[in-house]
Amino acid sequence: MLEAEDGSVLDARGETIGVATNNVAEYRALVEGLRKAVEVAVDELEVVSDSELLVHQMRGEYKVKNEALKLLWVDAQ
């Protein structure tokens, strides 16, 4: 979900992605959210996630070892 500072919803969605791990699903959601933020010209963004792995990997605190996640990590960067 993309939410403006005033709380109004800019975009919200959910979609099926087939068979995937929860980590892949979290990364795909991040990448799609970032793409939508660019599309609607968001100039400042705060990402909130309850995925410890995703947060630590995106901060560079954990290495990305899984090949599927590496590709998504690169997209998110």
Side-chain angles (χ1 to χ4, degrees):
M1 175 171 53
L2 283 178
E3 188 178 284
E5 194 170 349
D6 67 2
S8 61
V9 176
L10 301 174
D11 188 63
R13 66 184 64 208
E15 60 187 59
T16 59
I17 61 169
V19 178
T21 67
N22 62 322
N23 294 326
V24 168
E26 292 277 355
Y27 264 99
R28 290 206 36 200
L30 172 63
V31 169
E32 292 307 314
L34 293 171
R35 284 189 179 132
K36 187 63 178 184
V38 168
E39 182 182 315
V40 299
V42 170
D43 60 355
E44 186 175 324
L45 186 67
E46 176 184 9
V47 176
V48 178
S49 176
D50 64 354
S51 171
E52 180 179 343
L53 181 71
L54 180 141
V55 169
H56 285 287
Q57 287 178 336
M58 290 305 299
R59 288 181 177 168
E61 298 165 355
Y62 292 174
K63 290 182 181 179
V64 183
K65 297 177 184 178
N66 179 287
E67 289 301 319
L69 295 183
K70 280 182 184 178
L71 297 173
L72 292 165
W73 180 86
V74 167
D75 283 348
Q77 290 298 314

